Amino acid sequence: MLRITDIPADTLAAFKDGGVIPAHPLALTADRRLDERRQRALSRYYLDAGAIGIAVGVHTTQFEIREAGLFEPVLALAAEEAAERASAGGGTAFMVAGAVGGTKQAVAEAETARKLGYHAVLLSLRNLADADEDTLIEHCRTVAGVMPIIGFYLQAAVGGQKLTYHFWKRFAELDNVIGIKVAPFNRYYTLDVVRALVDARAEERITLYTGNDDHIVGDLMTPFTFMREGEPVTVRFRGGLLGHWAVWTERAVALLDAVKKAEPNDSVAKWLALDARTTDANAAVFDAANGFKGCIAGVHEVLRRQGLLDGIWCLDPNETMGPGQAEELTRVCRDYPDLTDDAFVRANLDRWLA
């Protein structure tokens, strides 16, 4: 069993302090086979951009990698790149692996991740939509018996289910929970998670990461304060584990750094404006206009335009960009050039692809 205290101290400290953790896409060739060269290039891009870690085998990586026999190979490639960076003195990245399915499958995936040197699993409950709360908690407890887990409140549009305040309080009381990715795309549900964390007295052990791609800056800037036994307790989102941060990652790192350095007297209007612009850009990347059907392909298209990917192919041939999405991507890249990192990618692309 891997416990939170077994994670290297500097790596754990970086996670708790908060950082950028991109959800790693899957690089495929035109015949939908793993493109190992570009898969490695993506990992190098994220680490060079300043990400503190990478999340692999998650929704952005495509859940179908399991059926395609790519789960372990894809995790292994990212682990190798992180290890190479660490051996060169770049520090140990915080490695997150997605785990899905019933308890038997999720445990097996957690064991694979632990074997490959990952530090935590992001535990999706999307395949347990009909399970009652006791069953869900026992599932989480069992997987946490393998290695630290990060809770995942996934939005309904891509397969998530409603999870109550009471569930999240019980979840936060599990002792090998290291973080929660809050991504219901719903302010009420987000507040449920934060309040549950406070009421479980787990705010020192569990770090909140936003996955609300529709409200990234707002989540990062907001102090969430709840009363506990008559005293106010304030917690914050410390970073983001985001599909949106799989693109323009160098800018995401700069954004989070600016948020951390923000002064109390900074103009609220400035941050609200940045939140709106970031959300508008995300709407194009994630295909919000078409119910998020092109969210993975949209991430691929940004990376294709930058030269990191060769195409937008997904394992499912029917998974592609939505009507008008390409035009929307062109618009936000034109209107918000400060949110993109094209120059950074151009300067390093040949080295990443070598």
Side-chain angles (χ1 to χ4, degrees), residues 213-236:
D213 302 74
D214 64 338
H215 201 54
I216 296 169
V217 180
D219 272 356
L220 293 172
M221 288 297 300
T222 301
F224 295 84
T225 302
F226 294 96
M227 301 301 292
R228 187 172 67 200
E229 296 181 355
E231 296 293 331
V233 178
T234 299
V235 295
R236 305 185 75 115

Side-chain angles (χ1 to χ4, degrees), residues 4 56 64 93 117 148 150 158 178 200 215 249 253 275 278 286 289 308 321:
I4 294 172
V56 192
E64 294 86 351
I150 299 172
V158 292
I178 191 172
H215 201 54
T249 311
V253 171
D275 185 53
T278 303
F286 271 30
L308 281 156
M321 294 176 69

Side-chain angles (χ1 to χ4, degrees), residues 14 18-23 42-55 82 85 90-95 209 240 245-246 249-254 256 344:
V20 169
I21 302 180
L42 287 173
S43 297
R44 294 166 184 169
Y45 161 49
Y46 298 134
L47 295 172
D48 281 0
I52 66 161
I54 308 172
R85 181 179 180 82
T92 302
F94 191 91
M95 300 299 290
Y209 272 67
W245 282 355
T249 311
E250 187 260 353
R251 290 291 81 205
V253 171
L256 182 56
F344 173 72

Side-chain angles (χ1 to χ4, degrees), residues 11-312:
T11 304
L12 179 60
F15 178 81
K16 292 179 72 67
D17 183 61
V20 169
I21 302 180
H24 203 307
L26 179 67
L28 296 175
T29 61
D31 58 357
R32 293 185 165 81
R33 296 179 183 276
L34 176 62
D35 187 335
E36 181 175 321
R37 173 170 166 257
R38 292 184 182 274
Q39 191 72 18
R40 290 184 181 277
L42 287 173
S43 297
R44 294 166 184 169
Y45 161 49
Y46 298 134
L47 295 172
D48 281 0
I52 66 161
I54 308 172
V56 192
V58 294
H59 176 249
T60 305
T61 323
Q62 302 174 50
F63 290 130
E64 294 86 351
I65 61 172
R66 280 108 178 142
E67 292 76 16
L70 293 176
F71 180 75
E72 184 167 352
V74 168
L75 262 63
L77 288 175
E80 288 169 11
E81 290 302 322
E84 184 172 328
R85 181 179 180 82
S87 67
T92 302
F94 191 91
M95 300 299 290
V96 180
V100 302
T103 303
K104 182 178 179 180
Q105 178 180 343
V107 165
E109 292 184 356
E111 289 173 343
T112 296
R114 184 181 62 186
K115 176 185 70 175
L116 293 171
Y118 280 69
H119 302 106
V121 291
L122 181 67
L123 188 57
S124 172
L125 304 176
R126 68 193 297 266
N127 299 110
L128 300 171
D130 298 326
D132 61 26
E133 185 177 292
D134 288 343
T135 301
L136 292 176
I137 290 296
E138 189 55 36
H139 171 81
C140 296
R141 188 193 317 277
T142 302
V143 180
V146 178
M147 65 187 303
I149 62 174
I150 299 172
F152 186 9
Y153 203 160
L154 178 67
Q155 64 153 323
V158 292
Q161 71 264 54
K162 185 180 187 303
L163 297 165
T164 67
Y165 156 85
H166 190 252
F167 166 82
W168 285 112
K169 183 173 182 293
R170 293 178 68 187
F171 179 84
E173 290 168 346
L174 300 175
D175 66 3
N176 212 24
V177 173
I178 191 172
I180 302 175
K181 171 181 174 173
V182 186
F185 285 39
N186 182 299
R187 304 316 295 161
Y188 302 113
Y189 297 173
T190 295
L191 288 169
D192 282 344
V193 179
V194 184
R195 183 166 64 93
L197 178 72
V198 171
D199 288 349
R201 299 180 177 273
E203 69 273 9
E204 296 298 323
R205 170 172 48 85
I206 296 175
T207 306
L208 291 176
Y209 272 67
T210 181
N212 285 318
D213 302 74
D214 64 338
H215 201 54
I216 296 169
V217 180
D219 272 356
L220 293 172
M221 288 297 300
T222 301
F224 295 84
T225 302
F226 294 96
M227 301 301 292
R228 187 172 67 200
E229 296 181 355
E231 296 293 331
V233 178
T234 299
V235 295
R236 305 185 75 115
F237 285 92
R238 305 303 302 171
L241 198 168
L242 292 156
H244 183 76
W245 282 355
V247 301
W248 307 323
T249 311
E250 187 260 353
R251 290 291 81 205
V253 171
L255 166 65
L256 182 56
D257 185 58
V259 168
K260 289 182 176 183
K261 293 177 179 177
E263 298 294 336
N265 60 351
D266 277 0
S267 168
V268 173
K270 176 186 75 172
W271 293 107
L272 291 175
L274 180 57
D275 185 53
R277 292 164 63 234
T278 303
T279 301
D280 189 23
N282 176 262
V285 176
F286 271 30
D287 196 28
N290 298 297
F292 303 98
K293 290 181 174 60
C295 60
I296 294 176
V299 168
H300 289 187
E301 174 63 7
V302 174
L303 298 171
R304 185 199 66 79
R305 293 184 185 191
Q306 292 183 314
L308 281 156
L309 290 183
D310 202 28
I312 67 168

